[in-house]
Amino acid sequence: TFNATISACEKGAAWEMALHVLSEMLHSRTESDTITFNATVSACEKGYAWESAVHLFGVMLRSKVQSNTVTFNAAISDCEKGGKWEKALHLLSDMAMRR
């Protein structure tokens, strides 16, 4: 499945491939869910691709896919690794408002 493939990419720190698989899913209108996005954001985190992770987080919200603590944690960690503490604080504030 797509989720299994993205999870394998995450474990192998193949963030670019994870993004490619997710892109294919979205273009083919294959259903994506919180697990799909979490694994892809986590793959970006492991690859130090904070800009892609933050962008993906926005795509997730626009797609109406439910975010959770794992999603926010990975995105905030990405911002930390990229030295983007202002963005991390913004995400933390968003998370608090969604609770």
Side-chain angles (χ1 to χ4, degrees), residues 73-92:
N73 187 48
I76 289 169
S77 180
D78 279 325
C79 290
E80 180 267 328
K81 288 176 180 173
K84 301 298 178 186
W85 62 269
E86 300 97 342
K87 186 65 178 170
L89 288 176
H90 180 73
L91 289 171
L92 186 61

Side-chain angles (χ1 to χ4, degrees), residues 35-96:
I35 294 168
T36 309
F37 279 92
N38 285 352
T40 310
V41 170
S42 291
C44 290
E45 175 193 2
K46 290 181 174 132
Y48 295 92
W50 70 270
E51 290 173 316
S52 294
V54 171
H55 173 76
L56 183 58
F57 188 78
V59 170
M60 181 180 186
L61 296 178
R62 287 188 299 279
S63 299
K64 308 278 193 253
V65 174
Q66 184 67 39
S67 58
N68 61 19
T69 303
V70 173
T71 314
F72 279 95
N73 187 48
I76 289 169
S77 180
D78 279 325
C79 290
E80 180 267 328
K81 288 176 180 173
K84 301 298 178 186
W85 62 269
E86 300 97 342
K87 186 65 178 170
L89 288 176
H90 180 73
L91 289 171
L92 186 61
S93 175
D94 280 356
M95 185 173 77

Side-chain angles (χ1 to χ4, degrees), residues 1-13 18 21 35-36 38-40 43 46:
T1 67
F2 285 107
N3 282 352
T5 302
I6 291 172
S7 290
C9 291
E10 173 197 0
K11 288 175 181 53
V21 172
I35 294 168
T36 309
N38 285 352
T40 310
K46 290 181 174 132

